[in-house]
Amino acid sequence: MRVMSRAFMWRMRTVTIVPVIALLIALGGNSAIAADDSGSAGGAGLQAASWLATVPYGAAKVVYAISGGVVGSLAWMMSGGNTEVAKAIWNPSMTGHYIVQPQNLTGDKALHFVGGSSD
């Protein structure tokens, strides 16, 4: 039983870490670009802080989005294929921001965990 629990924990870590790393790599080019302060020490600090904040935030957002996808799919099945019911769950959970940008840390741009934002 102990061997199975270790294997299960390893799979769970892999299932969580791999999508987060893939997301960070895919979106990493635009995630920490500060328009005004890119050459200063403060700008570099903001970029580093945004990356460090993105790691746990992005992981939580990915888990939330996947959970919303599963729950929305179950709601769709339970409602007899009513897409509006599923979309009411999918849209807030799967949209929103997945990365923290330096502008979010300075308060210049809002950070939306739950979707519905156009910026």
Side-chain angles (χ1 to χ4, degrees):
M1 174 125 172
R2 187 170 183 96
V3 173
M4 289 181 8
S5 66
R6 285 185 183 179
F8 177 75
M9 291 302 293
W10 182 81
R11 278 190 223 129
M12 290 305 293
R13 281 189 213 135
T14 303
V15 166
T16 303
I17 292 172
V18 169
V20 170
I21 290 174
L23 181 67
L24 289 174
I25 290 171
L27 300 174
N30 294 327
S31 66
I33 298 174
D36 300 333
D37 298 332
S38 60
S40 69
L46 274 175
Q47 290 175 358
S50 69
W51 184 84
L52 288 173
T54 296
V55 174
Y57 175 84
K61 178 62 180 174
V62 167
V63 168
Y64 179 64
I66 291 171
S67 300
V70 170
V71 171
S73 298
L74 291 172
W76 178 79
M77 288 189 313
M78 297 294 191
S79 67
N82 187 345
T83 307
E84 293 304 315
V85 170
K87 282 184 180 180
I89 299 169
W90 289 333
N91 285 339
S93 65
M94 292 182 179
T95 59
H97 298 133
Y98 283 79
I99 56 173
V100 178
Q101 297 179 344
Q103 297 86 358
N104 301 129
L105 298 177
T106 60
D108 295 334
K109 185 177 179 185
L111 182 64
H112 299 284
F113 187 82
V114 177
S117 171
S118 61
D119 60 325

